[in-house]
Amino acid sequence: MKLIDKVAANRVLMEHVNDKLPVFIAYKLMKLLKGLEEDVNFYRTKMSEIIDEYAEKDPNGQALQSQNGGVIIQNGKVDECNAKIKELEEMPVEDNGDIKFALDELAPINFSINEMLSLECYIEQ
């Protein structure tokens, strides 16, 4: 499993964290979120370090943002920055293999196809 898989699963689950669900499903989702937490925090920390290293900065040392809200990367450093991000995202991590869902367990939640792709490794078929 790659680090980005856990980050994507966390993102999807956080979008549904306030959904009213049967207690058994809510409990399993909570356990999965807790299991993802350490790796997601690691990802956020490392991503912040990458941004800090490669971002264009204002006189106060703050990263400059483009009009669309993204960070502006230093000239000539875009490929290097993208390589660091890819390396981080592709980092192998341990699976939270003890928490799996049957499709029928997830039936009370309305997921998009994209969200299901992010959760695929946690679904038993």
Side-chain angles (χ1 to χ4, degrees), residues 52-107:
D52 189 52
E53 181 178 345
Y54 291 99
E56 289 276 345
K57 297 191 174 130
D58 66 17
N60 296 325
Q62 298 297 313
L64 294 176
Q65 298 205 349
S66 64
Q67 291 178 349
N68 67 1
V71 174
I72 299 173
I73 304 302
Q74 300 168 23
N75 285 334
K77 298 281 188 167
V78 172
D79 289 340
E80 189 178 328
C81 179
N82 285 336
K84 288 259 185 154
I85 292 171
K86 184 173 177 72
E87 180 183 348
L88 175 63
E89 291 177 343
E90 300 289 322
M91 181 180 293
V93 292
E94 287 206 23
D95 183 9
N96 296 71
D98 57 328
I99 302 173
K100 298 281 186 188
F101 296 89
L103 279 175
D104 62 332
E105 288 181 303
L106 297 175

Side-chain angles (χ1 to χ4, degrees), residues 6 11 14 27 29 40 49 67 72 80 87 91 102 108-109 111 122 124:
K6 286 189 170 186
R11 179 188 44 79
M14 290 305 294
Y27 179 77
L29 289 171
V40 170
E49 290 172 7
Q67 291 178 349
I72 299 173
E80 189 178 328
E87 180 183 348
M91 181 180 293
I109 308 170
F111 289 116
Y122 298 104
E124 295 174 335

Side-chain angles (χ1 to χ4, degrees), residues 19-29 104-109:
D19 292 359
K20 300 290 184 199
L21 301 168
V23 69
F24 181 72
I25 298 163
Y27 179 77
K28 281 180 76 173
L29 289 171
D104 62 332
E105 288 181 303
L106 297 175
I109 308 170

